[in-house]
């Protein structure tokens, strides 16, 4: 399916659009990607491509309203809940989080990243809201530290789980998190994932609502994101394809999560800000267009302009940025080249150098289930590509790369 509006002033060339369609079709035709849905826009011009099928062995065709597991592409969207609280002064950037998250009081910090869990020093200061927003509170997923006692404990105690249902309730999860020392002093080092999950708990405790209900009231509802949440209602489950993690050796399709009866078929005990959302291309497009519009949607203000500017500006120090870039570049065999943007804002990458077709200032993020969503202020561009294939093989990462390359080559102004 393709929607081609006639107004070409927004600057996509017809030849470029044909190349996008051809490249997407080629990936599906390879047999490694069963199906995909892509949406991209500039100005008033929007195009949608739905290619392939819901299952690797056929079945229903992909449609514009197919629902996908967003994985880490959840991060840029769930961050907006915290920004609402900053706008309303219900949170302040440098407030300690202890009044709401007492589990994070009186932290101990490992003397060395690979040391025993009891070889610690006191944290130099309390963890702040800013530390959570910038992913620098001292604990996170670190590909360079796999096999160390602290990373083993993160997995064994269920602080990080690949399963959407494996985290327990927020209070249980925070209790387990509170038994761990920090890997780094608060504010010192950028680390992935866990801070975004903590932030969801913080929002819930500050507001007295579930994380999902607050997001629904302040973000999803006003933006018309009717298909975004932490599970798929029973009456809509046929719109959710299975999620595959192909065998790394053979490439054989392995179902990680089935739709009916799967992890997203019932309300989640733990609403993961780091990776728990399901959504559609249109819902994500609405969110990123709101960010491009400096916080407004349909004449209604969702976030203040300064809040959006803060979220989408690199917030890392030069040392933090260098460490993050090294992590991405030195682990391309694990990430298949994703994550090489340089900077990080609040819950999303912010491009600080031009290493591919995208310009400096582009912001957004990717997900391990084969999802990608970015906005580009310089070109007024939003792109969203969603698949059902996890990054256990290079194929979905190569598809994401080719989507962005062909999207940028289609710009013609």
């Amino acid at each position: 399916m393709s929607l081609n509006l006639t107004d070409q002033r927004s600057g996509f060339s017809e030849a470029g659009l044909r190349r996008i369609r051809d490249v997407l079709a080629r990936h599906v035709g390879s047999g490694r990607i069963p199906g995909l849905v892509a949406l991209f826009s500039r100005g008033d011009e929007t195009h949608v491509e739905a290619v392939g099928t819901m299952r690797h062995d056929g079945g229903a065709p992909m449609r514009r309203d197919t629902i996908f597991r967003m994985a880490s592409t959840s991060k840029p969207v769930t961050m907006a809940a915290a920004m609402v609280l900053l706008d309303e002064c219900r949170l302040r950037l440098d407030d300690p989080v202890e009044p709401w998250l007492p589990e994070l009081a009186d932290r101990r910090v490992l003397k060395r990243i690979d040391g025993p869990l009891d070889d610690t020093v006191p944290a130099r200061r309390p963890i702040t809201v800013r530390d959570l927003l910038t992913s620098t509170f001292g604990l996170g997923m670190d590909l360079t530290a796999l096999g160390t006692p602290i990373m083993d404990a993160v997995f064994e105690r269920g602080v990080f789980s690949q399963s959407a249902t494996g985290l327990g309730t927020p209070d249980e999860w925070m209790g387990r998190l509170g038994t761990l020392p920090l890997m780094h002093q608060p504010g010192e080092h950028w680390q992935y994932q866990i801070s975004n999950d903590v932030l969801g708990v913080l929002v819930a405790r500050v507001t007295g609502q579930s994380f999902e209900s607050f997001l629904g009231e302040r973000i999803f509802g006003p933006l018309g994101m009717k298909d975004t949440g932490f599970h798929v209602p029973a009456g809509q489950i046929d719109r959710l394809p299975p999620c595959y993690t192909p065998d790394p050796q053979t490439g054989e399709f392995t179902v990680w999560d089935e739709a009916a009866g799967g992890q997203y078929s019932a309300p989640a005990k733990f609403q993961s800000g780091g990776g728990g959302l399901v959504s559609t291309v249109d819902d994500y497009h609405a969110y990123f267009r709101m960010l491009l519009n400096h916080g407004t949607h349909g004449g209604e203000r969702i976030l203040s302009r300064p809040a959006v500017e803060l979220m989408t500006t690199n917030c890392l120090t030069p040392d933090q940025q260098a460490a993050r870039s090294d992590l991405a570049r030195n682990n391309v065999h694990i990430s298949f080249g994703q994550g090489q943007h340089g900077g990080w804002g609040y819950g999303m990458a912010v491009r600080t150098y031009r290493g591919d077709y995208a310009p400096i200032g582009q912001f957004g993020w990717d997900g391990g289930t084969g999802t990608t969503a970015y906005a580009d202020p310089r070109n007024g561009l939003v792109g969203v590509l969603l698949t059902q294939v996890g990054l256990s093989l290079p194929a979905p990462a190569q598809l994401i790369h080719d989507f962005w390359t062909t999207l940028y080559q289609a710009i013609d102004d």
Side-chain angles (χ1 to χ4, degrees), residues 94-213:
D94 294 306
D95 277 346
V97 298
E98 293 172 14
W100 301 284
L101 304 173
E103 299 93 340
L104 295 183
D106 303 319
R107 290 294 80 201
R108 305 287 298 183
V109 183
L110 290 174
K111 288 183 180 177
R112 43 182 292 162
I113 197 77
D114 58 352
L117 298 185
D118 58 358
D119 189 16
T120 62
V121 297
R124 287 195 288 264
R125 64 163 175 80
I127 294 167
T128 67
V129 174
R130 187 190 301 271
D131 297 330
L132 296 181
L133 289 166
T134 58
S135 297
T136 61
F137 87 103
L139 197 61
M141 299 305 298
D142 188 339
L143 295 177
T144 67
L146 295 178
T148 60
I150 184 62
M151 286 305 299
D152 287 347
V154 164
F155 289 111
E156 290 165 2
R157 301 186 196 185
V159 172
F160 176 78
S161 173
Q162 295 282 16
S163 166
T165 56
L167 298 173
T169 68
D171 289 350
E172 291 168 346
W173 183 79
M174 285 299 304
R176 295 195 301 271
L177 179 66
T179 67
L180 296 174
L182 301 181
M183 301 164 78
H184 299 278
Q185 289 286 343
E188 183 179 85
H189 198 84
W190 182 88
Q191 290 183 287
Y192 193 55
Q193 175 66 30
I194 295 175
S195 62
N196 299 94
D197 283 338
V198 177
L199 199 64
V201 180
L202 176 66
V203 168
R205 290 185 179 177
V206 169
T207 62
Q209 300 175 240
S210 73
F211 187 39
E212 183 173 37
S213 68

Side-chain angles (χ1 to χ4, degrees), residues 37-39 48 64 66 279-286 384-386:
V37 184
L39 185 153
V48 179
R64 180 172 181 161
T66 297
S279 193
T280 63
V281 290
D282 278 290
D283 281 8
Y284 258 63
H285 180 247
V384 184
L385 171 72
L386 308 178

Side-chain angles (χ1 to χ4, degrees), residues 28 31-35 52-62 241-242 244 252-255 258 388-389:
V28 172
R32 292 187 292 269
I33 305 291
T53 54
M54 300 272 279
R55 306 188 68 91
H56 81 89
D57 50 359
M62 283 289 181
Y244 299 104
E252 180 182 355
F253 283 101
T254 302
V255 175
E258 195 50 88
Q388 78 276 58
V389 183

Side-chain angles (χ1 to χ4, degrees), residues 173-408:
W173 183 79
M174 285 299 304
R176 295 195 301 271
L177 179 66
T179 67
L180 296 174
L182 301 181
M183 301 164 78
H184 299 278
Q185 289 286 343
E188 183 179 85
H189 198 84
W190 182 88
Q191 290 183 287
Y192 193 55
Q193 175 66 30
I194 295 175
S195 62
N196 299 94
D197 283 338
V198 177
L199 199 64
V201 180
L202 176 66
V203 168
R205 290 185 179 177
V206 169
T207 62
Q209 300 175 240
S210 73
F211 187 39
E212 183 173 37
S213 68
F214 187 74
L215 277 166
E217 178 184 307
R218 303 303 299 272
I219 305 298
F220 302 156
L223 287 174
M225 296 172 69
K226 64 183 186 301
D227 292 314
T228 303
F230 292 97
H231 81 289
V232 181
Q236 304 294 325
I237 199 72
D238 62 325
R239 294 167 55 197
L240 180 73
C243 185
Y244 299 104
T245 51
D247 183 281
Q249 274 70 50
T250 67
E252 180 182 355
F253 283 101
T254 302
V255 175
W256 174 69
D257 184 45
E258 195 50 88
Q263 298 177 39
Y264 293 86
S265 63
K269 284 185 181 178
F270 187 90
Q271 295 162 0
S272 168
L277 289 180
V278 294
S279 193
T280 63
V281 290
D282 278 290
D283 281 8
Y284 258 63
H285 180 247
Y287 180 76
F288 277 90
R289 288 298 305 186
M290 179 271 291
L291 296 183
L292 274 191
N293 291 333
H294 312 294
T296 63
H297 172 80
E300 182 177 354
R301 181 156 294 283
I302 311 298
L303 296 173
S304 70
R305 176 191 283 264
V308 173
E309 290 170 347
L310 187 57
M311 292 170 72
T312 59
T313 299
N314 176 45
C315 64
L316 302 184
T317 67
D319 286 346
Q320 290 168 342
Q321 191 164 334
R324 181 177 176 268
S325 294
D326 287 346
L327 179 65
R329 292 171 180 172
N330 294 335
N331 288 278
V332 291
H333 61 296
I334 296 173
S335 66
F336 306 115
Q338 298 303 98
Q340 299 188 68
H341 312 80
W344 191 259
Y346 288 3
M348 67 187 95
V350 179
R351 192 171 293 277
T352 56
Y353 69 95
R354 188 152 196 167
D356 55 27
Y357 280 32
I360 291 169
Q362 182 207 45
F363 56 82
W365 197 227
D366 309 291
T369 48
T371 59
T372 184
Y374 287 82
D376 170 1
R378 180 175 298 180
N379 290 294
L381 177 73
V382 174
V384 184
L385 171 72
L386 308 178
T387 79
Q388 78 276 58
V389 183
L391 291 169
S392 55
L393 285 177
Q398 292 167 345
L399 164 63
I400 289 169
H401 176 275
D402 292 353
F403 169 67
W404 288 108
T405 297
T406 54
L407 184 51
Y408 276 102

